[in-house]
Amino acid sequence: MKDGFIKVAACTPEIQVADVDFNVDKIISQLEKCREEGVKVAVFPELCITGYTCQDLFFQNALLDKAMEGVVKIAKTTADSDMLVAVGVPVRANGKLYNCAAVIQDGEVRAFVPKTHLPNYNEFYEARHFAPYRGECAAIDLREYGQFEFIPPMEQTVFVCEEIPELVVGFELCEDLWVADPVSNYLAKAGATLICNLSASDEVIGKDSYRRQIVSNQSARLVAGYIYCSAGDGESTQDMVFSGHNIIAENGSILAESRLFENDITISEIDFKKLAFERRKISTYPASAEWDYSSKDSGFLDKDNISRERFSLEMGETALTRKFAKTPFIPSNQAERNERCHLILQMQSHGLMKRIAHTHSKTVVIGISGGLDSTLALLVCVMAMDLLKRPHTDIVAVTMPCFGTTKRTRSNAEILCDALGVTFREVDISKAVLQHFEDIGHDYNDHSVVFENGQARERTKVLMNIANQVSGMVVGTGDLSELALGWATYNGDHMSMYGVNASIPKTLVRHIVQYYGDTCTSDTLRDVLYDILDTPVSPELLPTDESGTEMTQKTEDLVGPYELHDFFLYYGIRWGFEPSKVKRLAKYAFEGDYPDEVIDKWLKTFYRRFFSQQFKRSCLPDGAKIGSVTLSPRGDWRMPSDAVAKLWLEDIDK
């Protein structure tokens, strides 16, 4: 449970219809496995103690009595466990029969949560046997079945964890999710961050896909964890077949999913601190303590019918089994990745198109270095001109070689511009920079920040003045990763009139350029894009070797690997994780790639630079938000430039 992770399970046992002893033994067996795996919340299918398909046998007292005995037997096996368990069982109350989730912990049945919406259409006819829950309550006396310590209520309940206040568990049953106004809507408004669904969803063609979508969408809408547990092998196949489709989701992401027709336990870890962070951030999310349950829209689910019960969990570190992508900004699926790259290019080019049209710019001016960022920005300029039905020659691409420019990058810049048909200009800035050094009294052999920034600012001055010459606007090339690290020269490459890459992390820039190369029709363009992709990232501000072929300055040697920094950016800034938690996940995700001390080193670099370089982000040029993270002072990120990084740096060593 360290860092907010709770291990949860959806369990589909083999059952035999109406054979309670057999079913209970299978449930207990799976509970033992869950205990061995460190599971803290385990969910079983709807009516799994008896079987969902008992039909008119549900009218038999013998079955109902045996089911209660089974519930108590299961509860007793949890006496030495803090695991919160939910199993499906029919319950007699108020002269009716209810389809319930029996909530069990620490040797006791804590509550029975009844089903609200009963399907009575197509192959379902639950209303023949069960009563829908309409807010009525009852006390279920289990003393004759062996439970003496506690008489559980039958009512809608959320369970609040005392040790982890972010963990609040609510229960709904099958159809309660599939209706227009799901019960889980009200549970989430009552504070539930984990929804457990006990289901007996039969399988028909295409239903698994819809089931997956509805679980994913509901977890996203509610900003919640969701455990969907469905009946499987052993249910009657007289008229239906059940596949045991289990799904564990977190805020729209599927963390784990079972194979169809394989009764088993599906396990993952849900991050409840992450969910709490996102709910706090979303200003329109209702505050559970202030929500008026008795409003006219809440129906019978009013403040008297959603009770709150407390439960305890033993604290400890949760072993992680879920995957954390090394490159969280990049989809792992090739088709999805291509679709993402295509969409991003469309967003970038349409944003730039609007700015060109609004400013009546006759041209756009861009510095082209033969590197990744300027290449992507140039491709976006080309697409924007295509949208405007204007010639590519309205793009003025300027290469500005100086002391650190290699023959490879200079050649690639020219080949790229020629392949795209843009106007190409070369302005060698060496003499201007040397004159500037002489003017300010700086020794050429002193390769300090003055040496580097003098070149970067000269390039920006050239671009701005050429833009004045050709009635154009300067398009910026800097990316999100560079902005996070402050890896830009203030009033140098930091400045432009519109920054098309400002919301795109470096790892994603690479994939977008790769996608463009893979899908373009020109062999020349494809070849030069591939060579640019193969070129090390460098600002090329320090002198090359004597041959002019080897760069002596590689960015990732200086500030660290971009794949690490993008990982830190995603989890540390997008999700607000503590640095110690970011470090834990980085070591987990990059195990075998980087030693622990290397991750520690670059994580400290990230936070130190992120705080110290905020002043550059406070005055960024315009640029459209593309992904879930942006550092624009007018968009998602507002931070004082003089904030202190001490707390974050100390937490890394905690």
Side-chain angles (χ1 to χ4, degrees), residues 453 457 486 488-495 615-617 619:
N453 287 349
R457 292 193 177 103
T489 298
Y490 191 85
N491 207 33
D493 51 315
H494 157 260
M495 192 49 59
F615 72 98
K616 296 178 183 177
R617 298 188 293 268
C619 54

Side-chain angles (χ1 to χ4, degrees), residues 2 12 67 103 214 265 308 335 400 418 448 520 551 596 615:
K2 178 184 176 184
T12 299
V103 183
I214 197 171
I265 303 173
R308 297 172 71 86
M400 294 165 282
D418 183 63
S448 64
C520 71
M551 61 179 61
D596 289 356
F615 72 98

Side-chain angles (χ1 to χ4, degrees), residues 485 565 568 572-573 577-583 587 599-613 639 643-654:
L485 294 167
H565 285 305
F568 302 155
I573 305 305
F577 288 1
E578 301 91 334
S580 56
K581 183 173 179 179
V582 175
K583 179 171 74 171
K587 291 179 178 180
I599 291 176
D600 284 359
K601 172 187 174 181
W602 295 125
L603 183 59
K604 290 178 180 178
T605 296
F606 174 82
Y607 278 104
R608 186 164 49 245
R609 292 191 65 96
F610 188 84
F611 274 78
S612 68
Q613 301 295 299
M639 173 181 172
V644 178
K646 179 183 176 183
L647 287 176
W648 287 262
L649 293 173
E650 288 177 346
D651 189 72
I652 295 173
D653 295 323
K654 184 170 64 176

Side-chain angles (χ1 to χ4, degrees), residues 493-534:
D493 51 315
H494 157 260
M495 192 49 59
S496 68
M497 296 164 184
Y498 195 75
V500 294
N501 294 340
S503 184
I504 304 177
K506 183 76 77 176
T507 50
L508 186 53
V509 169
R510 178 173 296 278
H511 282 274
I512 299 171
V513 173
Q514 177 78 50
Y515 166 77
Y516 200 103
D518 292 343
T519 56
C520 71
T521 57
S522 166
D523 292 339
T524 302
L525 180 56
R526 182 184 304 109
D527 289 344
V528 72
L529 290 177
Y530 287 170
D531 195 63
I532 289 170
L533 285 163
D534 197 44

Side-chain angles (χ1 to χ4, degrees), residues 531-550:
D531 195 63
I532 289 170
L533 285 163
D534 197 44
T535 304
V537 177
S538 172
E540 294 192 323
L541 294 173
L542 293 180
T544 65
D545 65 350
E546 292 183 1
S547 68
T549 57
E550 293 294 327

